[in-house]
Amino acid sequence: MSYNVPNTFMVRCEGGDLFEEFVASGYVAIGGEELNPDLSGADDYDAIRQRLESTEQWTNPRALGRVAGIHLNFKISIAVSDRVITYDPSGRRYQIGRVTGEYE
């Protein structure tokens, strides 16, 4: 028997500082503009890594690789109808939502 169960992803940004904005605006994100270049057309790890590399000086290639992997997962893996969870560490609250639109 096969069940069509949506995936669930934990999405945090800025150490939870954007929790209220996520909830009020109905979206999730993974970083500030400096870490979120235009990734349209960048649909694999190498292309995303190259775009990120062009946005700032990366002194640690492992950090660049980790951030590229996070962006790839966020862009490629999360789909419409999947669930997302975000967390407010200061208030110890969780918010659960459902993805209703494509990656932008």
Side-chain angles (χ1 to χ4, degrees), residues 6-9 26 28 81-86 94-100:
N7 295 315
T8 302
F9 295 89
V28 293
S81 82
D82 283 345
R83 293 178 294 241
V84 289
I85 300 172
T86 193
Y94 288 88
Q95 182 72 31
I96 301 170
R98 185 167 303 279
V99 177
T100 60

Side-chain angles (χ1 to χ4, degrees), residues 52-70:
L52 286 168
E53 196 166 27
S54 71
T55 62
E56 66 176 73
Q57 293 286 18
W58 291 88
T59 57
N60 183 338
R62 293 177 81 183
L64 172 60
R66 182 180 54 79
V67 171
I70 290 168

Side-chain angles (χ1 to χ4, degrees), residues 16-89:
D17 290 345
L18 297 179
F19 177 85
E20 296 295 340
E21 185 175 340
F22 286 173
V23 173
S25 301
Y27 73 90
V28 293
I30 55 173
E33 286 184 23
E34 71 281 356
L35 289 178
N36 284 311
D38 178 11
L39 296 179
S40 55
D43 294 326
D44 63 34
Y45 175 82
D46 290 330
I48 290 173
R49 183 182 170 110
Q50 190 172 39
R51 297 267 178 97
L52 286 168
E53 196 166 27
S54 71
T55 62
E56 66 176 73
Q57 293 286 18
W58 291 88
T59 57
N60 183 338
R62 293 177 81 183
L64 172 60
R66 182 180 54 79
V67 171
I70 290 168
H71 277 74
L72 178 66
N73 191 45
F74 188 82
K75 183 176 183 190
I76 304 296
S77 298
I78 299 175
V80 172
S81 82
D82 283 345
R83 293 178 294 241
V84 289
I85 300 172
T86 193
Y87 178 64
D88 170 21

